[in-house]
């Protein structure tokens, strides 16, 4: 990893090492200044999230590419069976794939919300007090 030890500005990069010796150490880690090892995440949240990402990616691959692969391997079976008047391969690719991907997106969002609740991550917005000055459309202050 010698070629990735510095940023373009020349500052040194310190990796997280993929392990945590102190359970609270990850709370002190500034992940914007460190490289994060995606193959060996250092925090329990990152490990659980990575499992969720890989699990949904594998499910997506099966949903989207499964019917195509099955049609390639067994074309007679996939074209002779019908669902709602359509050949099975057409039904699965045209309706099953997009619907499955949409359902999978909802499952991922729900699982991610549960993961955030488990680790106490809140996604709130901060409200700012109005300054009394009108803001112009270009970002400047109207005079």
């Amino acid at each position: 990893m010698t070629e990735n030890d510095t940023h373009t500005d020349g500052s040194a990069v310190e990796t997280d090492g993929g392990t945590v010796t102190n359970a609270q150490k990850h709370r002190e880690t500034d992940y914007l200044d460190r490289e994060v090892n995606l193959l060996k995440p250092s925090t329990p949240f990152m490990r659980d999230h990575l499992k969720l990402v890989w699990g949904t990616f594998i499910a997506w691959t099966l949903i989207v590419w499964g019917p195509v692969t099955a049609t390639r391997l067994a074309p007679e079976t996939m074209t002779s069976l019908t669902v709602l008047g359509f050949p099975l391969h057409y039904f699965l690719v045209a309706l099953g794939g997009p619907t499955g991907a949409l359902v999978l997106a909802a499952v991922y969002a729900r699982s991610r919300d549960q993961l955030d609740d488990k680790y106490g991550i809140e996604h709130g917005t901060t409200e700012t007090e109005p300054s009394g000055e009108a803001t112009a459309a270009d970002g400047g202050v109207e005079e």
Side-chain angles (χ1 to χ4, degrees), residues 87-109:
L88 181 60
H89 73 285
Y90 180 81
F91 181 79
L92 290 176
V93 171
L95 188 63
T99 303
L102 188 62
V103 168
L104 190 61
V107 167
Y108 172 79

Side-chain angles (χ1 to χ4, degrees), residues 1-16 33-37:
M1 194 173 115
T2 57
E3 67 274 4
N4 293 332
D5 286 347
T6 58
H7 285 287
T8 55
D9 64 353
S11 61
V13 176
E14 184 179 334
T15 64
D16 69 344
D33 291 336
R34 294 185 179 207
E35 288 187 22
V36 177
N37 186 343

